[in-house]
Amino acid sequence: MSQAKIDGDYFSWAELQIVFGIINGPTFSTDDIAGLDFTDKLAPGVFRGAGSLKRGRTRGEHDAEGQLVLARDAATLFMLQLKERSTHPQKRIGSVAFNISAAWQPLDLGGTVREAKLIGCRIVERQFTNAPGPDPSIVTFPLDLMDLDVDGTKL
């Protein structure tokens, strides 16, 4: 498998650690990650006076999303873990919330260890990619997040 890609940058497998924690359930990890992307945004509301000028802002609405890309075997194990914890009558994996903790170091060895915590994730889609060639089949999971913490900061 090619190098892991975290938020647009490539990293060595030896420098990447991913841990999944199902909420109220077990934790597990995998080395078969092909990518992890995440973003969050804040949309503050505005208060206006009698005129057209802004008089203030609200804290705003926060939205976070992400995308997890796993090799097919790791994705199958991940989905089975979610299925076991599902309380949905049809055992739907999209109903299970989980956290992702990622720690990595940039390829330049003097780089600082970076950390991201994707909190309250739920799978909103599955994309299966199967193609001939040296890279294994992969599964992409777009995620809905409750919150995002990157290097100890939140938006």
Side-chain angles (χ1 to χ4, degrees), residues 82-88 90-93 95-96:
L82 295 177
K83 182 179 178 182
E84 285 180 20
R85 299 304 298 180
S86 178
T87 57
H88 189 279
Q90 296 175 338
K91 295 292 187 184
R92 297 201 179 264
I93 63 173
S95 66
V96 180

Side-chain angles (χ1 to χ4, degrees), residues 42-123:
L42 187 63
V46 176
F47 289 116
R48 297 195 183 270
S52 61
L53 297 176
K54 293 180 183 179
R55 305 291 278 174
R57 291 189 190 97
T58 65
R59 290 184 183 162
E61 294 182 6
H62 177 259
D63 284 311
E65 57 188 34
Q67 178 172 283
L68 173 66
V69 184
L70 296 174
R72 184 62 175 268
D73 289 345
T76 299
L77 292 173
F78 177 56
M79 289 185 287
L80 289 174
Q81 288 281 341
L82 295 177
K83 182 179 178 182
E84 285 180 20
R85 299 304 298 180
S86 178
T87 57
H88 189 279
Q90 296 175 338
K91 295 292 187 184
R92 297 201 179 264
I93 63 173
S95 66
V96 180
F98 56 94
N99 298 324
I100 299 175
S101 295
W104 68 96
Q105 184 176 13
L107 285 177
D108 59 341
L109 297 177
T112 304
V113 173
R114 311 299 305 264
E115 293 182 288
K117 295 177 184 172
L118 288 67
I119 302 162
C121 304
R122 284 182 57 189
I123 294 174

Side-chain angles (χ1 to χ4, degrees), residues 4-11 16 18 33-38 102 104:
K5 193 172 184 183
I6 304 290
D7 216 23
D9 295 319
Y10 288 97
F11 298 92
L16 174 64
I18 299 286
I33 183 168
L36 179 65
D37 293 305
F38 38 84
W104 68 96

